[in-house]
Amino acid sequence: MDRALAEGHPEQAQKALSELLERPHVELEVLLACGARLADKERFEPARAVFGRAVEEYPRSFEAHYNLALADIALQRFDEARAALDAPVGTSKDQQPAREYLRGKIHEAKGEPALAERSFSAAFSAAPEQENYALDLGMFYLRQRNPVKAREILAAGVKYHPDSVYLLLGMALAEYLDNDPPGAATTCIRILAIEPRFGPAQLLLAVAHYTTGENEKCVKESAAVIGRPGAPPYLYYLHAASLLKLGSRDYGAILADLETATRSMKDCSYCYIALSKAHQDMGNERAAIADLETLVGQVDPGFPNGWYRLANLYQHAGRTADAARALEKFERIKTAQTSSEAEYLGKFLLPESK
């Protein structure tokens, strides 16, 4: 089966798996190893069948139940995963935090954050040296919009694993969301000293530079990443916005970047602000107005900065009645909009939890 999986022959792998499961008896170690290899290939359904057989044949095995729960979590069968973990199986001192860790994953997936926090915290407290326990608890706090607590947990994990790029990346994200973009930049530079082409760190470094006004550095970092396939679209926005702030006249590159960004991010309000600024700098006031009209008419009618800039452009174009209406709209909604551009970028770095 190993060879069939490695060479990409799923039919042969399925045949070998069926033959294995048809045996009247299979050693536990063989079942666990086989299931783990299937899970590594993200073949979670057959992996679940193997771990299910292990549970059936070795009902007192914690490893069998634990791995079955892992497969069920991957398949989003959270009730089944919970049942596997709750089986009356004795656990060792090391296995108890592992069980709590998986319970935390299930609770969070089921929309039970208080229970998830309790389980993740119990696992981390019992074994703070375990990288995944620190990482998952820290990321849980980030998803709960508690960057202060996330920084504390992730920093504790980094003490045990100073070269873990994933813990460091989580810590950098927590620093950024905790209104410390210089700290985030420093941590990203530390990551890139360990793994120079680690894309997520380059991305966050560009965001941090942009937020702190280091526009030349942002242009450099974002340019290095957008040249690669699959670059995040908001890096194109950062590249264009930084060029604008530097007074660049490379409008071809700026407009191309913003076209890429808006094509992928339909709700990128700041992209349309940048488009309008670019067209205004080019002397195309009509296009600058049209960009803002698209913003407040189709993208985000409640975006106050769009209305404010539109009022100014209308006034400059002699459209005084339109300017008055836009300014009135701005005055009505400005107090409801309190988020900064840094907070806006943070939503792309860490999307809202569902």
Side-chain angles (χ1 to χ4, degrees):
M1 187 181 72
D2 287 345
R3 183 176 180 181
L5 286 171
E7 295 178 356
H9 300 300
E11 297 85 1
Q12 296 178 18
Q14 182 60 46
K15 181 180 178 182
L17 176 60
S18 298
E19 291 175 353
L20 174 69
L21 296 179
E22 287 172 2
R23 297 179 191 174
H25 175 73
V26 184
E27 293 293 330
L28 175 61
E29 291 74 14
V30 173
L31 290 169
L32 294 177
C34 177
R37 286 193 290 272
L38 288 164
D40 286 342
K41 295 291 185 179
E42 298 187 357
R43 295 176 59 82
F44 297 114
E45 198 67 63
R48 185 184 190 278
V50 173
F51 293 133
R53 170 66 182 273
V55 165
E56 179 183 336
E57 196 161 347
Y58 302 93
R60 306 301 299 173
S61 168
F62 172 79
E63 289 84 358
H65 287 87
Y66 182 87
N67 283 284
L68 177 59
L70 274 174
D72 279 328
I73 289 171
L75 292 166
Q76 298 187 6
R77 297 175 181 172
F78 302 115
D79 290 335
E80 291 90 336
R82 181 176 289 171
L85 285 178
D86 290 344
V89 178
T91 57
S92 68
K93 184 179 179 180
D94 292 337
Q95 291 169 340
Q96 290 172 6
R99 174 183 277 175
E100 286 300 319
Y101 169 68
L102 282 198
R103 282 177 173 157
K105 286 183 170 293
I106 295 167
H107 288 313
E108 186 177 13
K110 295 278 288 182
E112 301 164 345
L115 294 175
E117 180 181 9
R118 187 172 69 183
S119 290
F120 281 138
S121 296
F124 175 73
S125 297
E129 74 281 359
Q130 289 292 328
E131 181 179 357
N132 283 346
Y133 298 174
L135 182 60
D136 277 85
L137 179 57
M139 295 307 295
F140 166 80
Y141 281 126
L142 282 179
R143 289 188 290 272
Q144 293 297 310
R145 296 303 190 265
N146 189 346
V148 175
K149 192 66 176 177
R151 287 181 75 166
E152 174 188 333
I153 298 300
L154 292 163
V158 167
K159 289 181 180 179
Y160 288 99
H161 303 278
D163 293 332
S164 169
V165 294
Y166 298 104
L167 282 171
L168 287 167
L169 181 66
M171 190 168 74
L173 181 54
E175 289 165 339
Y176 181 84
L177 296 175
D178 194 29
N179 298 315
D180 184 14
T186 299
T187 302
C188 286
I189 292 170
R190 178 178 171 181
I191 294 169
L192 294 172
I194 299 168
E195 192 169 327
R197 289 179 62 85
F198 191 52
Q202 290 179 304
L203 183 157
L204 182 51
L205 180 57
V207 173
H209 283 325
Y210 180 79
T211 304
T212 55
E214 299 275 3
N215 294 301
E216 291 184 359
K217 292 180 179 179
C218 181
V219 167
K220 178 183 177 181
E221 292 298 332
S222 56
V225 181
I226 61 177
R228 301 175 194 168
Y234 58 89
L235 271 178
Y236 288 88
Y237 162 71
L238 290 176
H239 188 253
S242 294
L243 286 174
L244 282 171
K245 289 186 176 184
L246 289 168
S248 171
R249 293 186 175 275
D250 190 356
Y251 296 117
I254 291 169
L255 293 177
D257 284 343
L258 293 172
E259 180 182 357
T260 299
T262 55
R263 186 169 58 246
S264 300
M265 301 188 300
K266 305 298 184 184
D267 61 345
C268 181
S269 303
Y270 284 98
C271 293
Y272 287 91
I273 294 290
L275 267 175
S276 179
K277 288 179 179 178
H279 282 132
Q280 186 177 10
D281 289 349
M282 294 168 67
N284 191 344
E285 192 171 78
R286 179 178 296 180
I289 289 173
D291 294 329
L292 296 176
E293 288 175 336
T294 299
L295 167 58
V296 300
Q298 301 175 29
V299 178
D300 187 358
F303 192 67
N305 196 23
W307 289 105
Y308 182 76
R309 289 186 57 82
L310 189 56
N312 288 333
L313 285 176
Y314 279 151
Q315 189 68 39
H316 190 265
R319 298 169 58 176
T320 55
D322 289 334
R325 283 192 291 269
L327 189 59
E328 180 185 0
K329 184 72 173 180
F330 165 73
E331 293 291 346
R332 285 204 305 267
I333 64 177
K334 66 178 181 178
T335 56
Q337 174 71 289
T338 59
S339 63
S340 66
E341 188 176 8
E343 292 172 312
Y344 180 80
L345 290 171
K347 293 179 181 179
F348 286 102
L349 294 169
L350 187 70
E352 294 287 342
S353 299
K354 296 182 178 180

